[in-house]
Amino acid sequence: MNFRSVLEVDARTSNRLRVAEQPGLLRSIAVFFAHSGDSWFWAMGLVLLWAFTNDAHWKKWAVVLFGGVSALAVIVMSLKFIIRRRRPEGEWGGIYRNTDPHSFPSGHAARAFLIAVVATALGPAWAGILLWVWAPLVSLARVAMGVHYVSDVVAGAIVGILVALLGLQIYPPILNW
């Protein structure tokens, strides 16, 4: 199997998972999860968490996650700039298509999996479990809404996990819940 045929299988599989043009509950759920991994949402949430909590554990968690998400953004955007794979054709996600026309790797998938790994290492067990359920849903929703191919989100997940594990080597978990 050559590279072109792998890309064709990827495009066909991604298209089968697509619900962007199909009104209904499944599309609404996909929209919710597709947006729940937005960088602005997480940045704002982490800043608010840091600003309004008096708990040192949550403050540190917010700072570490914010730093990890920021570093990851630089890595993902660099990879996107080097690879330059166009997003799948479609109408949904105009803001993503206009501000970032490249799809590989998925920044949302990378961010979601980085957050899940860091939460597992630094957060309470319930947060890690919840975020490990959420991360694949974000990734699948990005494909379902037609802004990524399956390979984009798989690569994004791998990048996010690797960056998180590297970051945890630099900043080892010392928090006790």
Side-chain angles (χ1 to χ4, degrees):
M1 186 178 263
N2 63 29
F3 188 66
R4 179 180 284 287
S5 60
V6 169
L7 290 177
E8 289 170 2
V9 169
D10 186 27
R12 278 195 312 272
T13 304
S14 301
N15 198 44
R16 283 190 201 116
L17 296 171
R18 194 166 172 154
V19 299
E21 294 80 18
Q22 303 168 13
L25 180 61
L26 189 56
R27 182 185 188 280
S28 297
I29 292 168
V31 168
F32 170 78
F33 280 105
H35 282 307
S36 71
D38 285 356
S39 56
W40 69 267
F41 173 78
W42 279 92
M44 182 176 64
L46 292 169
V47 167
L48 291 173
L49 176 63
W50 180 86
F52 292 107
T53 188
N54 292 322
D55 187 314
H57 292 292
W58 285 110
K59 277 195 182 287
K60 193 164 283 195
W61 196 76
V63 169
V64 170
L65 263 180
F66 189 88
V69 166
S70 299
L72 181 66
V74 171
I75 293 166
V76 167
M77 290 309 292
S78 297
L79 289 169
K80 284 183 173 197
F81 182 75
I82 292 166
I83 297 167
R84 296 180 182 264
R85 183 181 193 187
R86 303 292 301 170
R87 291 186 184 275
E89 293 295 320
E91 297 299 317
W92 188 86
I95 189 165
Y96 308 115
R97 294 174 190 284
N98 293 329
T99 59
D100 177 13
H102 304 110
S103 69
F104 189 92
S106 166
H108 280 72
R111 186 169 30 262
F113 278 91
L114 175 131
I115 290 167
V117 170
V118 172
T120 300
L122 300 180
W126 65 264
I129 292 167
L130 180 68
L131 290 165
W132 275 105
V133 169
W134 168 78
L137 292 173
V138 169
S139 301
L140 182 58
R142 302 296 292 174
V143 176
M145 293 312 297
V147 288
H148 283 290
Y149 297 100
V150 171
S151 61
D152 298 340
V153 298
V154 169
I158 292 168
V159 169
I161 290 168
L162 291 175
V163 170
L165 293 174
L166 177 63
L168 290 170
Q169 295 303 308
I170 296 167
Y171 184 87
I174 55 172
L175 298 177
N176 296 320
W177 289 90

